[in-house]
Amino acid sequence: MAKYSFEFKKQLVSEYLSGRIGGDSLARKYGITRSQLWLWINAYKEFGDEGLKRSRKKEKYSFEKKLFVVELYLSSEISYQDLALQEGITNP
């Protein structure tokens, strides 16, 4: 079972996007890490509700795709979370 439900993640993302509370305060309020909150926010911005849902399928990536992503990470200044989102990988 997932540690956090879709509904919980959606609630926090919606609360943040409403602009009434900042990320740090929101993370403290619900006892989660800032980095976890930002993963949800960025996933939601990139993929909508699907970015917050737990994937039921086990995605398989070819060796070439994995190598491409690793090389891209090593040759750029992008974070691995942002790179995963850019490449359509919802779980960095």
Side-chain angles (χ1 to χ4, degrees):
M1 179 174 188
K3 186 171 181 179
Y4 300 106
S5 70
F6 165 76
E7 292 79 14
F8 177 74
K9 293 186 267 188
K10 178 75 182 241
Q11 175 188 345
L12 269 67
V13 169
S14 297
E15 215 172 312
Y16 172 78
L17 293 176
S18 74
R20 292 187 303 252
I21 188 169
D24 292 344
S25 299
L26 190 61
R28 274 194 306 277
K29 178 180 174 182
Y30 289 99
I32 63 167
T33 64
R34 289 182 327 164
S35 61
Q36 183 64 64
L37 177 62
W38 285 111
L39 282 175
W40 296 340
I41 291 167
N42 290 330
Y44 181 78
K45 286 180 177 178
E46 187 71 25
F47 303 109
D49 284 349
E50 290 303 311
L52 299 178
K53 292 180 181 174
R54 185 171 176 253
S55 176
R56 298 289 182 204
K57 63 181 178 170
K58 182 143 175 115
E59 188 72 40
K60 293 192 181 222
Y61 299 103
S62 68
F63 174 78
E64 291 79 16
K65 172 76 172 180
K66 292 176 187 177
L67 185 59
F68 171 76
V69 171
V70 169
E71 288 175 343
L72 191 57
Y73 174 72
L74 293 174
S75 66
S76 67
E77 305 240 343
I78 192 169
S79 72
Y80 70 90
Q81 291 98 343
D82 289 339
L83 180 60
L85 291 173
Q86 174 184 309
E87 293 300 314
I89 303 168
T90 58
N91 184 352

